[in-house]
Amino acid sequence: MGNSSRRGLGPRFLGLWCSTALSDTGNGIFLVGATLFAIHTLDSPALAGLLFTLAAVPWLVAAIPAGIVVDRMDAHRVIQAANLARAAIMLGVGATGHASAVVLAVAVFASGVLQTFVDGAAEALVPELVGRDRLSDANGALSVSTRVFYQFLGPPIAGLTYALWPPAAPLLSAILCGVSTLCIAAVRRPWPHRHSARGKIDVRSGLRIVRRSRILKAAIAISGLTSIANGIYLTAFAVYANSDTGLGLAPATYGVLTGLVGAGAGVGAYLTSRAERLFGEVATMRLTRVGWALLFLSPLLRSPWLIAPVMVVGSAFGAMWAVQAMSLRQRATSPGQRAQVLGVFRTLTYGATPLGTLTATTFQNTVSSQVLLCTAAVLTAGAIGLVPANEQTPPQVPR
């Protein structure tokens, strides 16, 4: 295993990774640039909040249909078509110079829908490009792309480009998404199973696959509880950090702490395969629950100098779960099923996040933010009981 861990993942995977990194950066720049345009140019903070919502809604309404399409087509062509369409949308927004609220809303929602196709196709491609023993390495690399390029680099680049010239943010996003289609060309190869899958469309096939798999059901339950807990944390921390009765942080300090979560998550994604080799797969899964609990409890330390390192460590361990969940899904499904299962997974788990935010909002005036943060930590730590008791990974479904 030591020699395997040092080998590269191959030129085809490198093409997929570069394509993902470029399109994730463009997506991050576009969304944050759109919100800055809404706040500063259109003077509508409410529109900014709506844009973030519209960026997440596609995972609830389009993930399953997108998975069906991806599993019936050549995945690299799906990525090319989706990113070209996103580039066209972003170019249209930037070319107008002064987009209306309706144009921004439609563009962000449409870009989010196309993102469900890109993510589904990328996850479906990974097992075709690397060996089964390298899934954690490859999935970790893809997750780093999302964490670092979308969450960590995209926002500051958007702020800089918007300050220089507001239309520059969507124009730069369009260029990055367009170039990403050239990188994915390195992944070209036939995918016979996708052509043979054409026939009657059954939107329930992904649900049936999940229902029959104990591993997939456990992974969805773990991710669902974490999504609820994260929704509680995000709402409670925003209030606690910015109120005079809480931490009373300056906006810049709050922004830095929020950004550190993304930075820690990127480090954790990169180190996932190493953690599995050091601690074992199951022990690492349990550590991810401890990591999220630490992150959710970190604001109780009150000092930003203490909060920051705990946030980084907690998010690093917590983010390893996203990589492990990808590997679990890929090992438990066969080609022609993976994107559909991802669609079901994301729909159910992302759909749980509003339950957390609604819970925190409902009880914000009756219980303290500290209690809500502790509740989030207890929920995610309780998911340790759902982690499999042994390290037997699910057998791959015969092709």
Side-chain angles (χ1 to χ4, degrees):
M1 184 173 292
N3 291 336
S4 174
S5 67
R6 288 191 291 268
R7 291 200 307 267
L9 293 169
R12 286 195 176 98
F13 179 80
L14 179 60
L16 174 63
W17 187 88
C18 290
S19 175
T20 302
L22 288 169
S23 63
D24 279 345
T25 305
N27 201 34
I29 294 172
F30 181 67
L31 178 58
V32 175
T35 59
L36 290 173
F37 195 88
I39 294 171
H40 297 289
T41 302
L42 300 180
D43 193 24
S44 178
L47 175 61
L50 175 62
L51 293 179
F52 278 114
T53 302
L54 290 173
V57 166
W59 283 107
L60 301 178
V61 299
I64 293 178
I68 294 172
V69 171
V70 169
D71 282 335
R72 294 160 63 86
M73 299 182 65
D74 291 344
H76 77 282
R77 295 189 185 280
V78 172
I79 295 175
Q80 283 182 314
N83 278 334
L84 279 176
R86 282 204 293 186
I89 291 170
M90 296 167 178
L91 183 62
V93 171
T96 62
H98 188 85
S100 67
V102 173
V103 169
L104 280 182
V106 171
V108 167
F109 178 77
S111 180
V113 170
L114 293 167
Q115 183 68 38
T116 66
F117 287 87
V118 173
D119 283 5
E123 180 163 326
L125 273 174
V126 171
E128 311 283 357
L129 304 177
V130 303
R132 182 182 172 88
D133 62 327
R134 303 302 305 279
L135 285 179
S136 290
D137 294 302
N139 291 330
L142 279 186
S143 189
V144 166
S145 168
T146 300
R147 301 290 185 177
V148 173
F149 292 96
Y150 175 66
Q151 296 180 333
F152 190 63
L153 292 181
I157 293 175
L160 176 62
T161 53
Y162 180 87
L164 294 174
W165 183 46
L171 292 176
L172 177 58
S173 302
I175 293 172
L176 292 174
C177 284
V179 174
S180 73
T181 64
L182 301 179
C183 297
I184 200 66
V187 186
R188 274 200 310 268
R189 59 177 292 182
W191 313 105
H193 61 273
R194 284 174 171 77
H195 296 293
S196 63
R198 292 173 183 169
K200 183 179 179 181
I201 295 177
D202 186 355
V203 297
R204 296 171 297 178
S205 58
L207 289 168
R208 282 197 295 268
I209 295 167
V210 170
R211 192 166 56 242
R212 291 194 298 262
S213 172
R214 179 181 59 84
I215 291 290
L216 292 177
K217 286 189 289 188
I220 286 177
I222 293 171
S223 292
L225 280 175
T226 306
S227 294
I228 294 173
N230 192 47
I232 295 173
Y233 161 77
L234 290 173
T235 304
F237 178 57
V239 174
Y240 186 58
N242 294 288
S243 66
D244 293 334
T245 56
L247 299 178
L249 300 179
T253 305
Y254 173 70
V256 169
L257 290 178
T258 303
L260 286 176
V261 174
V267 172
Y270 176 74
L271 295 176
T272 302
S273 62
R274 291 168 174 78
E276 289 180 341
R277 288 190 282 269
L278 182 62
F279 303 116
E281 186 177 353
V282 170
T284 302
M285 289 181 188
R286 291 172 178 155
L287 282 173
T288 66
R289 305 302 92 205
V290 176
W292 281 123
L294 284 175
L295 171 62
F296 297 156
L297 291 174
S298 62
L300 302 183
L301 296 173
R302 297 198 61 86
S303 167
W305 295 104
L306 296 176
I307 294 172
V310 175
M311 277 187 162
V312 171
V313 172
S315 60
F317 277 103
M320 292 181 184
W321 169 250
V323 178
Q324 292 187 298
M326 288 176 69
S327 298
L328 285 175
R329 290 193 296 268
Q330 291 160 347
R331 290 169 181 159
T333 53
S334 66
Q337 298 177 339
R338 294 183 180 121
Q340 295 175 72
V341 169
L342 173 63
V344 172
F345 195 97
R346 291 283 179 88
T347 298
L348 295 177
T349 58
Y350 280 28
T353 302
L355 294 177
T357 57
L358 180 62
T359 298
T361 301
T362 301
F363 291 100
Q364 192 73 61
N365 295 325
T366 56
V367 300
S368 66
S369 296
Q370 294 96 316
V371 170
L372 291 173
L373 292 170
C374 289
T375 301
V378 169
L379 276 177
T380 193
I384 290 176
L386 298 173
V387 174
N390 56 64
E391 299 199 18
Q392 292 180 354
T393 55
Q396 182 133 19
V397 179
R399 301 186 181 204

